[in-house]
PDB file of all heavy atoms in Angstrom:
ATOM      1  N   SER A   1       0.821  -1.209   0.000  1.00  0.00           N
ATOM      2  CA  SER A   1       0.000   0.000   0.000  1.00  0.00           C
ATOM      3  C   SER A   1       0.857   1.261   0.000  1.00  0.00           C
ATOM      4  O   SER A   1       1.958   1.292   0.537  1.00  0.00           O
ATOM      5  CB  SER A   1      -0.921   0.024   1.222  1.00  0.00           C
ATOM      6  OG  SER A   1      -1.847  -1.024   1.176  1.00  0.00           O
ATOM      7  N   ARG A   2       0.288   2.318  -0.567  1.00  0.00           N
ATOM      8  CA  ARG A   2       0.932   3.624  -0.587  1.00  0.00           C
ATOM      9  C   ARG A   2       0.241   4.539   0.431  1.00  0.00           C
ATOM     10  O   ARG A   2      -0.866   4.281   0.906  1.00  0.00           O
ATOM     11  CB  ARG A   2       0.829   4.216  -1.984  1.00  0.00           C
ATOM     12  CG  ARG A   2       1.843   3.608  -2.983  1.00  0.00           C
ATOM     13  CD  ARG A   2       3.096   4.426  -3.004  1.00  0.00           C
ATOM     14  NE  ARG A   2       4.200   3.889  -3.764  1.00  0.00           N
ATOM     15  CZ  ARG A   2       4.333   3.908  -5.079  1.00  0.00           C
ATOM     16  NH1 ARG A   2       3.359   4.353  -5.834  1.00  0.00           N
ATOM     17  NH2 ARG A   2       5.435   3.473  -5.636  1.00  0.00           N
ATOM     18  N   ASN A   3       0.883   5.688   0.701  1.00  0.00           N
ATOM     19  CA  ASN A   3       0.365   6.651   1.658  1.00  0.00           C
ATOM     20  C   ASN A   3      -0.803   7.433   1.070  1.00  0.00           C
ATOM     21  O   ASN A   3      -0.715   7.986  -0.029  1.00  0.00           O
ATOM     22  CB  ASN A   3       1.495   7.600   2.062  1.00  0.00           C
ATOM     23  CG  ASN A   3       1.027   8.661   3.033  1.00  0.00           C
ATOM     24  OD1 ASN A   3       0.571   9.726   2.618  1.00  0.00           O
ATOM     25  ND2 ASN A   3       1.126   8.371   4.315  1.00  0.00           N
ATOM     26  N   ARG A   4      -1.901   7.523   1.825  1.00  0.00           N
ATOM     27  CA  ARG A   4      -3.113   8.157   1.329  1.00  0.00           C
ATOM     28  C   ARG A   4      -2.946   9.651   1.101  1.00  0.00           C
ATOM     29  O   ARG A   4      -3.389  10.199   0.085  1.00  0.00           O
ATOM     30  CB  ARG A   4      -4.251   7.896   2.327  1.00  0.00           C
ATOM     31  CG  ARG A   4      -5.590   8.488   1.941  1.00  0.00           C
ATOM     32  CD  ARG A   4      -6.652   8.075   2.954  1.00  0.00           C
ATOM     33  NE  ARG A   4      -7.921   8.698   2.642  1.00  0.00           N
ATOM     34  CZ  ARG A   4      -8.234   9.935   2.989  1.00  0.00           C
ATOM     35  NH1 ARG A   4      -7.358  10.680   3.653  1.00  0.00           N
ATOM     36  NH2 ARG A   4      -9.421  10.431   2.668  1.00  0.00           N
ATOM     37  N   GLU A   5      -2.331  10.355   2.035  1.00  0.00           N
ATOM     38  CA  GLU A   5      -2.169  11.798   1.896  1.00  0.00           C
ATOM     39  C   GLU A   5      -1.274  12.144   0.706  1.00  0.00           C
ATOM     40  O   GLU A   5      -1.505  13.127   0.005  1.00  0.00           O
ATOM     41  CB  GLU A   5      -1.592  12.390   3.195  1.00  0.00           C
ATOM     42  CG  GLU A   5      -2.534  12.288   4.380  1.00  0.00           C
ATOM     43  CD  GLU A   5      -3.905  12.886   4.102  1.00  0.00           C
ATOM     44  OE1 GLU A   5      -3.959  13.982   3.492  1.00  0.00           O
ATOM     45  OE2 GLU A   5      -4.910  12.266   4.477  1.00  0.00           O
ATOM     46  N   THR A   6      -0.270  11.318   0.486  1.00  0.00           N
ATOM     47  CA  THR A   6       0.581  11.532  -0.688  1.00  0.00           C
ATOM     48  C   THR A   6      -0.223  11.347  -1.963  1.00  0.00           C
ATOM     49  O   THR A   6      -0.062  12.100  -2.932  1.00  0.00           O
ATOM     50  CB  THR A   6       1.773  10.560  -0.674  1.00  0.00           C
ATOM     51  OG1 THR A   6       2.533  10.777   0.512  1.00  0.00           O
ATOM     52  CG2 THR A   6       2.662  10.774  -1.893  1.00  0.00           C
ATOM     53  N   ALA A   7      -1.099  10.363  -1.978  1.00  0.00           N
ATOM     54  CA  ALA A   7      -1.935  10.122  -3.156  1.00  0.00           C
ATOM     55  C   ALA A   7      -2.799  11.340  -3.475  1.00  0.00           C
ATOM     56  O   ALA A   7      -2.922  11.753  -4.637  1.00  0.00           O
ATOM     57  CB  ALA A   7      -2.817   8.899  -2.927  1.00  0.00           C
ATOM     58  N   LEU A   8      -3.379  11.937  -2.456  1.00  0.00           N
ATOM     59  CA  LEU A   8      -4.207  13.134  -2.671  1.00  0.00           C
ATOM     60  C   LEU A   8      -3.354  14.284  -3.202  1.00  0.00           C
ATOM     61  O   LEU A   8      -3.786  15.040  -4.085  1.00  0.00           O
ATOM     62  CB  LEU A   8      -4.886  13.533  -1.363  1.00  0.00           C
ATOM     63  CG  LEU A   8      -5.922  12.548  -0.807  1.00  0.00           C
ATOM     64  CD1 LEU A   8      -6.366  12.985   0.583  1.00  0.00           C
ATOM     65  CD2 LEU A   8      -7.127  12.436  -1.739  1.00  0.00           C
ATOM     66  N   ALA A   9      -2.149  14.411  -2.679  1.00  0.00           N
ATOM     67  CA  ALA A   9      -1.255  15.484  -3.130  1.00  0.00           C
ATOM     68  C   ALA A   9      -0.851  15.290  -4.586  1.00  0.00           C
ATOM     69  O   ALA A   9      -0.751  16.260  -5.351  1.00  0.00           O
ATOM     70  CB  ALA A   9      -0.013  15.534  -2.241  1.00  0.00           C
ATOM     71  N   VAL A  10      -0.618  14.041  -5.000  1.00  0.00           N
ATOM     72  CA  VAL A  10      -0.244  13.762  -6.388  1.00  0.00           C
ATOM     73  C   VAL A  10      -1.389  14.129  -7.328  1.00  0.00           C
ATOM     74  O   VAL A  10      -1.178  14.759  -8.379  1.00  0.00           O
ATOM     75  CB  VAL A  10       0.154  12.285  -6.552  1.00  0.00           C
ATOM     76  CG1 VAL A  10       0.310  11.928  -8.037  1.00  0.00           C
ATOM     77  CG2 VAL A  10       1.452  11.991  -5.817  1.00  0.00           C
ATOM     78  N   LEU A  11      -2.601  13.767  -6.981  1.00  0.00           N
ATOM     79  CA  LEU A  11      -3.759  14.102  -7.817  1.00  0.00           C
ATOM     80  C   LEU A  11      -3.925  15.611  -7.961  1.00  0.00           C
ATOM     81  O   LEU A  11      -4.141  16.129  -9.067  1.00  0.00           O
ATOM     82  CB  LEU A  11      -5.027  13.497  -7.215  1.00  0.00           C
ATOM     83  CG  LEU A  11      -5.214  11.992  -7.409  1.00  0.00           C
ATOM     84  CD1 LEU A  11      -6.286  11.464  -6.458  1.00  0.00           C
ATOM     85  CD2 LEU A  11      -5.591  11.686  -8.856  1.00  0.00           C
ATOM     86  N   THR A  12      -3.823  16.315  -6.866  1.00  0.00           N
ATOM     87  CA  THR A  12      -3.961  17.772  -6.903  1.00  0.00           C
ATOM     88  C   THR A  12      -2.883  18.394  -7.774  1.00  0.00           C
ATOM     89  O   THR A  12      -3.154  19.273  -8.610  1.00  0.00           O
ATOM     90  CB  THR A  12      -3.876  18.348  -5.483  1.00  0.00           C
ATOM     91  OG1 THR A  12      -4.913  17.770  -4.684  1.00  0.00           O
ATOM     92  CG2 THR A  12      -4.039  19.858  -5.498  1.00  0.00           C
ATOM     93  N   ARG A  13      -1.644  17.920  -7.619  1.00  0.00           N
ATOM     94  CA  ARG A  13      -0.537  18.474  -8.389  1.00  0.00           C
ATOM     95  C   ARG A  13      -0.669  18.150  -9.880  1.00  0.00           C
ATOM     96  O   ARG A  13      -0.319  18.977 -10.734  1.00  0.00           O
ATOM     97  CB  ARG A  13       0.782  17.941  -7.841  1.00  0.00           C
ATOM     98  CG  ARG A  13       2.023  18.511  -8.523  1.00  0.00           C
ATOM     99  CD  ARG A  13       2.110  20.010  -8.327  1.00  0.00           C
ATOM    100  NE  ARG A  13       3.328  20.558  -8.911  1.00  0.00           N
ATOM    101  CZ  ARG A  13       3.410  21.765  -9.459  1.00  0.00           C
ATOM    102  NH1 ARG A  13       2.335  22.553  -9.511  1.00  0.00           N
ATOM    103  NH2 ARG A  13       4.551  22.201  -9.954  1.00  0.00           N
ATOM    104  N   ALA A  14      -1.184  16.975 -10.197  1.00  0.00           N
ATOM    105  CA  ALA A  14      -1.362  16.604 -11.606  1.00  0.00           C
ATOM    106  C   ALA A  14      -2.247  17.605 -12.332  1.00  0.00           C
ATOM    107  O   ALA A  14      -1.917  18.074 -13.428  1.00  0.00           O
ATOM    108  CB  ALA A  14      -1.943  15.197 -11.698  1.00  0.00           C
ATOM    109  N   VAL A  15      -3.361  17.956 -11.715  1.00  0.00           N
ATOM    110  CA  VAL A  15      -4.273  18.920 -12.337  1.00  0.00           C
ATOM    111  C   VAL A  15      -3.629  20.298 -12.406  1.00  0.00           C
ATOM    112  O   VAL A  15      -3.776  21.027 -13.387  1.00  0.00           O
ATOM    113  CB  VAL A  15      -5.609  18.940 -11.576  1.00  0.00           C
ATOM    114  CG1 VAL A  15      -6.501  20.084 -12.061  1.00  0.00           C
ATOM    115  CG2 VAL A  15      -6.333  17.603 -11.758  1.00  0.00           C
ATOM    116  N   GLU A  16      -2.884  20.672 -11.373  1.00  0.00           N
ATOM    117  CA  GLU A  16      -2.166  21.953 -11.390  1.00  0.00           C
ATOM    118  C   GLU A  16      -1.195  22.018 -12.568  1.00  0.00           C
ATOM    119  O   GLU A  16      -0.978  23.098 -13.156  1.00  0.00           O
ATOM    120  CB  GLU A  16      -1.391  22.149 -10.092  1.00  0.00           C
ATOM    121  CG  GLU A  16      -2.260  22.417  -8.878  1.00  0.00           C
ATOM    122  CD  GLU A  16      -1.453  22.458  -7.588  1.00  0.00           C
ATOM    123  OE1 GLU A  16      -0.246  22.108  -7.601  1.00  0.00           O
ATOM    124  OE2 GLU A  16      -2.029  22.831  -6.547  1.00  0.00           O
ATOM    125  N   LEU A  17      -0.628  20.886 -12.944  1.00  0.00           N
ATOM    126  CA  LEU A  17       0.346  20.836 -14.028  1.00  0.00           C
ATOM    127  C   LEU A  17      -0.310  20.720 -15.401  1.00  0.00           C
ATOM    128  O   LEU A  17       0.386  20.599 -16.409  1.00  0.00           O
ATOM    129  CB  LEU A  17       1.306  19.654 -13.816  1.00  0.00           C
ATOM    130  CG  LEU A  17       2.259  19.788 -12.625  1.00  0.00           C
ATOM    131  CD1 LEU A  17       2.986  18.472 -12.375  1.00  0.00           C
ATOM    132  CD2 LEU A  17       3.263  20.912 -12.863  1.00  0.00           C
ATOM    133  N   GLY A  18      -1.623  20.746 -15.447  1.00  0.00           N
ATOM    134  CA  GLY A  18      -2.322  20.733 -16.723  1.00  0.00           C
ATOM    135  C   GLY A  18      -2.795  19.374 -17.195  1.00  0.00           C
ATOM    136  O   GLY A  18      -3.320  19.250 -18.313  1.00  0.00           O
ATOM    137  N   VAL A  19      -2.633  18.343 -16.371  1.00  0.00           N
ATOM    138  CA  VAL A  19      -3.153  17.029 -16.741  1.00  0.00           C
ATOM    139  C   VAL A  19      -4.677  17.077 -16.722  1.00  0.00           C
ATOM    140  O   VAL A  19      -5.275  17.483 -15.713  1.00  0.00           O
ATOM    141  CB  VAL A  19      -2.641  15.944 -15.767  1.00  0.00           C
ATOM    142  CG1 VAL A  19      -3.358  14.620 -16.001  1.00  0.00           C
ATOM    143  CG2 VAL A  19      -1.139  15.773 -15.898  1.00  0.00           C
ATOM    144  N   ASN A  20      -5.315  16.692 -17.817  1.00  0.00           N
ATOM    145  CA  ASN A  20      -6.784  16.697 -17.836  1.00  0.00           C
ATOM    146  C   ASN A  20      -7.364  15.382 -18.338  1.00  0.00           C
ATOM    147  O   ASN A  20      -8.519  15.317 -18.758  1.00  0.00           O
ATOM    148  CB  ASN A  20      -7.320  17.875 -18.661  1.00  0.00           C
ATOM    149  CG  ASN A  20      -7.017  17.745 -20.147  1.00  0.00           C
ATOM    150  OD1 ASN A  20      -6.188  16.927 -20.552  1.00  0.00           O
ATOM    151  ND2 ASN A  20      -7.679  18.561 -20.948  1.00  0.00           N
ATOM    152  N   HIS A  21      -6.550  14.331 -18.271  1.00  0.00           N
ATOM    153  CA  HIS A  21      -7.008  12.978 -18.611  1.00  0.00           C
ATOM    154  C   HIS A  21      -6.498  12.044 -17.529  1.00  0.00           C
ATOM    155  O   HIS A  21      -5.289  11.814 -17.410  1.00  0.00           O
ATOM    156  CB  HIS A  21      -6.469  12.577 -19.992  1.00  0.00           C
ATOM    157  CG  HIS A  21      -6.681  11.127 -20.331  1.00  0.00           C
ATOM    158  ND1 HIS A  21      -5.797  10.410 -21.106  1.00  0.00           N
ATOM    159  CD2 HIS A  21      -7.671  10.260 -20.002  1.00  0.00           C
ATOM    160  CE1 HIS A  21      -6.235   9.172 -21.245  1.00  0.00           C
ATOM    161  NE2 HIS A  21      -7.361   9.049 -20.575  1.00  0.00           N
ATOM    162  N   ILE A  22      -7.412  11.537 -16.713  1.00  0.00           N
ATOM    163  CA  ILE A  22      -7.056  10.646 -15.612  1.00  0.00           C
ATOM    164  C   ILE A  22      -7.663   9.277 -15.881  1.00  0.00           C
ATOM    165  O   ILE A  22      -8.851   9.147 -16.189  1.00  0.00           O
ATOM    166  CB  ILE A  22      -7.564  11.209 -14.271  1.00  0.00           C
ATOM    167  CG1 ILE A  22      -6.782  12.484 -13.912  1.00  0.00           C
ATOM    168  CG2 ILE A  22      -7.429  10.176 -13.157  1.00  0.00           C
ATOM    169  CD1 ILE A  22      -7.218  13.137 -12.627  1.00  0.00           C
ATOM    170  N   ASP A  23      -6.826   8.250 -15.760  1.00  0.00           N
ATOM    171  CA  ASP A  23      -7.270   6.879 -16.007  1.00  0.00           C
ATOM    172  C   ASP A  23      -7.381   6.139 -14.677  1.00  0.00           C
ATOM    173  O   ASP A  23      -6.453   6.140 -13.875  1.00  0.00           O
ATOM    174  CB  ASP A  23      -6.256   6.174 -16.913  1.00  0.00           C
ATOM    175  CG  ASP A  23      -6.707   4.770 -17.270  1.00  0.00           C
ATOM    176  OD1 ASP A  23      -7.473   4.625 -18.235  1.00  0.00           O
ATOM    177  OD2 ASP A  23      -6.301   3.817 -16.572  1.00  0.00           O
ATOM    178  N   THR A  24      -8.516   5.491 -14.458  1.00  0.00           N
ATOM    179  CA  THR A  24      -8.772   4.870 -13.170  1.00  0.00           C
ATOM    180  C   THR A  24      -9.587   3.587 -13.349  1.00  0.00           C
ATOM    181  O   THR A  24      -9.846   3.131 -14.466  1.00  0.00           O
ATOM    182  CB  THR A  24      -9.521   5.858 -12.244  1.00  0.00           C
ATOM    183  OG1 THR A  24      -9.657   5.290 -10.941  1.00  0.00           O
ATOM    184  CG2 THR A  24     -10.894   6.218 -12.785  1.00  0.00           C
ATOM    185  N   ALA A  25      -9.989   2.989 -12.238  1.00  0.00           N
ATOM    186  CA  ALA A  25     -10.885   1.830 -12.231  1.00  0.00           C
ATOM    187  C   ALA A  25     -11.362   1.621 -10.801  1.00  0.00           C
ATOM    188  O   ALA A  25     -10.622   1.878  -9.847  1.00  0.00           O
ATOM    189  CB  ALA A  25     -10.181   0.565 -12.722  1.00  0.00           C
ATOM    190  N   ASP A  26     -12.590   1.145 -10.663  1.00  0.00           N
ATOM    191  CA  ASP A  26     -13.130   0.896  -9.331  1.00  0.00           C
ATOM    192  C   ASP A  26     -12.354  -0.214  -8.619  1.00  0.00           C
ATOM    193  O   ASP A  26     -12.315  -0.254  -7.383  1.00  0.00           O
ATOM    194  CB  ASP A  26     -14.607   0.505  -9.436  1.00  0.00           C
ATOM    195  CG  ASP A  26     -15.254   0.323  -8.082  1.00  0.00           C
ATOM    196  OD1 ASP A  26     -15.418   1.331  -7.366  1.00  0.00           O
ATOM    197  OD2 ASP A  26     -15.576  -0.828  -7.721  1.00  0.00           O
ATOM    198  N   PHE A  27     -11.703  -1.097  -9.393  1.00  0.00           N
ATOM    199  CA  PHE A  27     -10.960  -2.192  -8.752  1.00  0.00           C
ATOM    200  C   PHE A  27      -9.531  -1.798  -8.401  1.00  0.00           C
ATOM    201  O   PHE A  27      -8.760  -2.632  -7.938  1.00  0.00           O
ATOM    202  CB  PHE A  27     -10.978  -3.458  -9.617  1.00  0.00           C
ATOM    203  CG  PHE A  27     -10.547  -3.264 -11.053  1.00  0.00           C
ATOM    204  CD1 PHE A  27      -9.211  -3.269 -11.407  1.00  0.00           C
ATOM    205  CD2 PHE A  27     -11.506  -3.109 -12.047  1.00  0.00           C
ATOM    206  CE1 PHE A  27      -8.823  -3.107 -12.718  1.00  0.00           C
ATOM    207  CE2 PHE A  27     -11.121  -2.947 -13.369  1.00  0.00           C
ATOM    208  CZ  PHE A  27      -9.774  -2.946 -13.715  1.00  0.00           C
ATOM    209  N   TYR A  28      -9.149  -0.536  -8.578  1.00  0.00           N
ATOM    210  CA  TYR A  28      -7.855  -0.054  -8.074  1.00  0.00           C
ATOM    211  C   TYR A  28      -8.048   0.287  -6.607  1.00  0.00           C
ATOM    212  O   TYR A  28      -8.567   1.342  -6.245  1.00  0.00           O
ATOM    213  CB  TYR A  28      -7.405   1.202  -8.823  1.00  0.00           C
ATOM    214  CG  TYR A  28      -6.988   0.992 -10.258  1.00  0.00           C
ATOM    215  CD1 TYR A  28      -6.659   2.088 -11.054  1.00  0.00           C
ATOM    216  CD2 TYR A  28      -6.901  -0.265 -10.833  1.00  0.00           C
ATOM    217  CE1 TYR A  28      -6.266   1.923 -12.372  1.00  0.00           C
ATOM    218  CE2 TYR A  28      -6.515  -0.432 -12.145  1.00  0.00           C
ATOM    219  CZ  TYR A  28      -6.196   0.660 -12.912  1.00  0.00           C
ATOM    220  OH  TYR A  28      -5.807   0.514 -14.222  1.00  0.00           O
ATOM    221  N   ARG A  29      -7.619  -0.610  -5.730  1.00  0.00           N
ATOM    222  CA  ARG A  29      -7.854  -0.454  -4.292  1.00  0.00           C
ATOM    223  C   ARG A  29      -6.598  -0.793  -3.503  1.00  0.00           C
ATOM    224  O   ARG A  29      -5.708  -1.487  -3.981  1.00  0.00           O
ATOM    225  CB  ARG A  29      -8.998  -1.381  -3.832  1.00  0.00           C
ATOM    226  CG  ARG A  29     -10.337  -1.019  -4.439  1.00  0.00           C
ATOM    227  CD  ARG A  29     -11.432  -2.017  -4.091  1.00  0.00           C
ATOM    228  NE  ARG A  29     -12.709  -1.601  -4.661  1.00  0.00           N
ATOM    229  CZ  ARG A  29     -13.594  -0.847  -4.038  1.00  0.00           C
ATOM    230  NH1 ARG A  29     -13.355  -0.443  -2.791  1.00  0.00           N
ATOM    231  NH2 ARG A  29     -14.715  -0.495  -4.629  1.00  0.00           N
ATOM    232  N   TRP A  30      -6.549  -0.321  -2.260  1.00  0.00           N
ATOM    233  CA  TRP A  30      -5.471  -0.684  -1.361  1.00  0.00           C
ATOM    234  C   TRP A  30      -5.510  -2.187  -1.107  1.00  0.00           C
ATOM    235  O   TRP A  30      -6.600  -2.775  -0.964  1.00  0.00           O
ATOM    236  CB  TRP A  30      -5.616   0.047  -0.034  1.00  0.00           C
ATOM    237  CG  TRP A  30      -4.791   1.282   0.083  1.00  0.00           C
ATOM    238  CD1 TRP A  30      -3.461   1.355   0.391  1.00  0.00           C
ATOM    239  CD2 TRP A  30      -5.229   2.632  -0.093  1.00  0.00           C
ATOM    240  NE1 TRP A  30      -3.052   2.669   0.418  1.00  0.00           N
ATOM    241  CE2 TRP A  30      -4.115   3.470   0.117  1.00  0.00           C
ATOM    242  CE3 TRP A  30      -6.456   3.211  -0.428  1.00  0.00           C
ATOM    243  CZ2 TRP A  30      -4.181   4.852   0.025  1.00  0.00           C
ATOM    244  CZ3 TRP A  30      -6.536   4.584  -0.532  1.00  0.00           C
ATOM    245  CH2 TRP A  30      -5.403   5.389  -0.310  1.00  0.00           C
ATOM    246  N   PRO A  31      -4.342  -2.834  -1.008  1.00  0.00           N
ATOM    247  CA  PRO A  31      -4.331  -4.274  -0.721  1.00  0.00           C
ATOM    248  C   PRO A  31      -5.029  -4.630   0.586  1.00  0.00           C
ATOM    249  O   PRO A  31      -5.537  -5.735   0.743  1.00  0.00           O
ATOM    250  CB  PRO A  31      -2.830  -4.613  -0.659  1.00  0.00           C
ATOM    251  CG  PRO A  31      -2.159  -3.543  -1.446  1.00  0.00           C
ATOM    252  CD  PRO A  31      -2.992  -2.307  -1.237  1.00  0.00           C
ATOM    253  N   ASP A  32      -5.051  -3.677   1.540  1.00  0.00           N
ATOM    254  CA  ASP A  32      -5.658  -3.978   2.840  1.00  0.00           C
ATOM    255  C   ASP A  32      -7.150  -3.660   2.882  1.00  0.00           C
ATOM    256  O   ASP A  32      -7.764  -3.657   3.948  1.00  0.00           O
ATOM    257  CB  ASP A  32      -4.931  -3.222   3.956  1.00  0.00           C
ATOM    258  CG  ASP A  32      -4.967  -1.704   3.744  1.00  0.00           C
ATOM    259  OD1 ASP A  32      -5.658  -1.247   2.808  1.00  0.00           O
ATOM    260  OD2 ASP A  32      -4.308  -0.986   4.507  1.00  0.00           O
ATOM    261  N   GLY A  33      -7.746  -3.378   1.710  1.00  0.00           N
ATOM    262  CA  GLY A  33      -9.182  -3.138   1.650  1.00  0.00           C
ATOM    263  C   GLY A  33      -9.592  -1.704   1.879  1.00  0.00           C
ATOM    264  O   GLY A  33     -10.768  -1.429   2.118  1.00  0.00           O
ATOM    265  N   GLY A  34      -8.663  -0.768   1.795  1.00  0.00           N
ATOM    266  CA  GLY A  34      -8.987   0.649   1.958  1.00  0.00           C
ATOM    267  C   GLY A  34      -9.813   1.173   0.791  1.00  0.00           C
ATOM    268  O   GLY A  34     -10.202   0.418  -0.101  1.00  0.00           O
ATOM    269  N   PRO A  35     -10.076   2.483   0.759  1.00  0.00           N
ATOM    270  CA  PRO A  35     -10.923   3.053  -0.286  1.00  0.00           C
ATOM    271  C   PRO A  35     -10.305   2.892  -1.661  1.00  0.00           C
ATOM    272  O   PRO A  35      -9.083   2.782  -1.813  1.00  0.00           O
ATOM    273  CB  PRO A  35     -11.015   4.539   0.112  1.00  0.00           C
ATOM    274  CG  PRO A  35      -9.793   4.788   0.942  1.00  0.00           C
ATOM    275  CD  PRO A  35      -9.548   3.513   1.669  1.00  0.00           C
ATOM    276  N   CYS A  36     -11.167   2.859  -2.680  1.00  0.00           N
ATOM    277  CA  CYS A  36     -10.663   2.721  -4.042  1.00  0.00           C
ATOM    278  C   CYS A  36     -10.131   4.065  -4.533  1.00  0.00           C
ATOM    279  O   CYS A  36     -10.409   5.123  -3.959  1.00  0.00           O
ATOM    280  CB  CYS A  36     -11.756   2.207  -4.967  1.00  0.00           C
ATOM    281  SG  CYS A  36     -13.120   3.342  -5.272  1.00  0.00           S
ATOM    282  N   VAL A  37      -9.353   4.015  -5.598  1.00  0.00           N
ATOM    283  CA  VAL A  37      -8.772   5.225  -6.162  1.00  0.00           C
ATOM    284  C   VAL A  37      -9.852   6.244  -6.523  1.00  0.00           C
ATOM    285  O   VAL A  37      -9.655   7.451  -6.355  1.00  0.00           O
ATOM    286  CB  VAL A  37      -7.916   4.877  -7.401  1.00  0.00           C
ATOM    287  CG1 VAL A  37      -7.626   6.112  -8.226  1.00  0.00           C
ATOM    288  CG2 VAL A  37      -6.613   4.239  -6.976  1.00  0.00           C
ATOM    289  N   ASN A  38     -10.996   5.767  -7.002  1.00  0.00           N
ATOM    290  CA  ASN A  38     -12.063   6.697  -7.395  1.00  0.00           C
ATOM    291  C   ASN A  38     -12.477   7.609  -6.241  1.00  0.00           C
ATOM    292  O   ASN A  38     -12.782   8.790  -6.448  1.00  0.00           O
ATOM    293  CB  ASN A  38     -13.282   5.919  -7.893  1.00  0.00           C
ATOM    294  CG  ASN A  38     -13.055   5.288  -9.248  1.00  0.00           C
ATOM    295  OD1 ASN A  38     -12.105   5.629  -9.951  1.00  0.00           O
ATOM    296  ND2 ASN A  38     -13.919   4.360  -9.626  1.00  0.00           N
ATOM    297  N   GLU A  39     -12.502   7.075  -5.045  1.00  0.00           N
ATOM    298  CA  GLU A  39     -12.869   7.895  -3.890  1.00  0.00           C
ATOM    299  C   GLU A  39     -11.807   8.950  -3.607  1.00  0.00           C
ATOM    300  O   GLU A  39     -12.118  10.067  -3.191  1.00  0.00           O
ATOM    301  CB  GLU A  39     -13.104   6.992  -2.678  1.00  0.00           C
ATOM    302  CG  GLU A  39     -14.337   6.103  -2.846  1.00  0.00           C
ATOM    303  CD  GLU A  39     -14.404   4.989  -1.827  1.00  0.00           C
ATOM    304  OE1 GLU A  39     -13.353   4.590  -1.295  1.00  0.00           O
ATOM    305  OE2 GLU A  39     -15.519   4.508  -1.561  1.00  0.00           O
ATOM    306  N   LEU A  40     -10.537   8.611  -3.845  1.00  0.00           N
ATOM    307  CA  LEU A  40      -9.468   9.591  -3.695  1.00  0.00           C
ATOM    308  C   LEU A  40      -9.586  10.690  -4.747  1.00  0.00           C
ATOM    309  O   LEU A  40      -9.382  11.872  -4.449  1.00  0.00           O
ATOM    310  CB  LEU A  40      -8.108   8.912  -3.830  1.00  0.00           C
ATOM    311  CG  LEU A  40      -7.710   7.904  -2.753  1.00  0.00           C
ATOM    312  CD1 LEU A  40      -6.362   7.294  -3.107  1.00  0.00           C
ATOM    313  CD2 LEU A  40      -7.673   8.554  -1.388  1.00  0.00           C
ATOM    314  N   ILE A  41      -9.894  10.304  -5.973  1.00  0.00           N
ATOM    315  CA  ILE A  41     -10.068  11.290  -7.046  1.00  0.00           C
ATOM    316  C   ILE A  41     -11.162  12.277  -6.675  1.00  0.00           C
ATOM    317  O   ILE A  41     -11.005  13.496  -6.812  1.00  0.00           O
ATOM    318  CB  ILE A  41     -10.391  10.581  -8.377  1.00  0.00           C
ATOM    319  CG1 ILE A  41      -9.184   9.765  -8.851  1.00  0.00           C
ATOM    320  CG2 ILE A  41     -10.804  11.596  -9.448  1.00  0.00           C
ATOM    321  CD1 ILE A  41      -9.493   8.862 -10.035  1.00  0.00           C
ATOM    322  N   ARG A  42     -12.262  11.749  -6.165  1.00  0.00           N
ATOM    323  CA  ARG A  42     -13.375  12.627  -5.785  1.00  0.00           C
ATOM    324  C   ARG A  42     -12.973  13.558  -4.637  1.00  0.00           C
ATOM    325  O   ARG A  42     -13.259  14.761  -4.663  1.00  0.00           O
ATOM    326  CB  ARG A  42     -14.583  11.787  -5.378  1.00  0.00           C
ATOM    327  CG  ARG A  42     -15.807  12.604  -4.984  1.00  0.00           C
ATOM    328  CD  ARG A  42     -16.979  11.699  -4.705  1.00  0.00           C
ATOM    329  NE  ARG A  42     -18.187  12.469  -4.421  1.00  0.00           N
ATOM    330  CZ  ARG A  42     -19.388  11.923  -4.252  1.00  0.00           C
ATOM    331  NH1 ARG A  42     -19.530  10.604  -4.333  1.00  0.00           N
ATOM    332  NH2 ARG A  42     -20.443  12.673  -3.998  1.00  0.00           N
TER     333      ARG A  42
END
């Protein structure tokens, strides 16, 4: 698993840098059963 706060910071910075195409999936989840990536994006 990766750090949740870092994940939020990466998403925010991506948009700041002009990224406007994000690829995801509901099955992208923490190995320990944490929230899926989609919830972090939101």
Side-chain angles (χ1 to χ4, degrees):
S1 295
R2 282 268 172 77
N3 179 271
R4 181 176 177 278
E5 294 306 317
T6 300
L8 294 172
V10 170
L11 284 165
T12 301
R13 183 62 177 147
V15 171
E16 289 174 351
L17 292 170
V19 170
N20 68 346
H21 170 213
I22 292 179
D23 183 85
T24 185
D26 184 68
F27 52 84
Y28 290 175
R29 295 174 178 269
W30 263 279
D32 59 7
C36 68
V37 164
N38 288 345
E39 293 166 336
L40 294 177
I41 293 171
R42 181 175 184 174

